[in-house]
């Protein structure tokens, strides 16, 4: 095989891989959006502003405190989810 053909073949392969990557990432993002929109209820929905503010708060902290801020954020989200779950259990027991 001549060097010219090999270079053209390599460039075509790279272009195909880039195209596949773009197609696959778009499909992945649409699946995530569909999954979050179908599983999120209004009571547990977190606005994008809250998410952005939380991420910027963590990013603005020094590197030594970022892991603690991430854990604190996760703990707060878990507590909120448990509270919502407890409210649902109370609603279900009241309905019976």
């Amino acid at each position: 095989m001549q060097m010219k053909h090999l270079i053209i073949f390599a460039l075509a392969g790279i272009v195909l891989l880039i195209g596949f990557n773009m197609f696959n990432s778009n499909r992945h993002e649409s699946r995530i959006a569909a999954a979050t929109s179908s599983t999120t209820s209004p009571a547990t929905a977190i606005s994008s502003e809250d998410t952005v503010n939380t991420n910027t708060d963590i990013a603005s902290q020094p590197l030594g405190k970022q892991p603690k801020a991430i854990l604190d954020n996760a703990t707060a989200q878990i507590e909120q989810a448990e509270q919502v779950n407890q409210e649902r259990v109370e609603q279900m027991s009241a309905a019976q």
Side-chain angles (χ1 to χ4, degrees):
M1 207 176 215
Q2 291 182 356
M3 188 60 81
K4 182 172 97 174
H5 293 146
L6 187 61
I7 291 172
I8 291 172
F9 182 70
L11 289 175
I14 290 171
V15 169
L16 285 173
L17 286 174
I18 290 172
F20 175 76
N21 190 20
M22 289 172 48
F23 174 74
N24 198 20
S25 107
N26 286 338
R27 261 187 40 200
H28 183 67
E29 289 173 6
S30 65
R31 284 183 184 171
I32 290 174
T36 54
S37 67
S38 67
T39 60
T40 305
S41 67
T44 60
I46 298 174
S47 69
S48 62
E49 293 174 3
D50 292 342
T51 306
V52 171
N53 289 339
T54 303
N55 290 339
T56 56
D57 290 342
I58 292 172
S60 66
Q61 294 185 1
L63 287 176
K65 294 188 178 185
Q66 283 183 1
K68 183 180 181 329
I70 291 170
L71 287 175
D72 290 343
N73 184 20
T75 303
Q77 289 177 353
I78 290 171
E79 289 173 353
Q80 181 184 11
E82 287 176 349
Q83 181 181 9
V84 168
N85 190 26
Q86 183 64 30
E87 291 172 1
R88 287 181 184 163
V89 168
E90 290 172 359
Q91 288 176 353
M92 293 300 291
S93 63
Q96 292 178 355

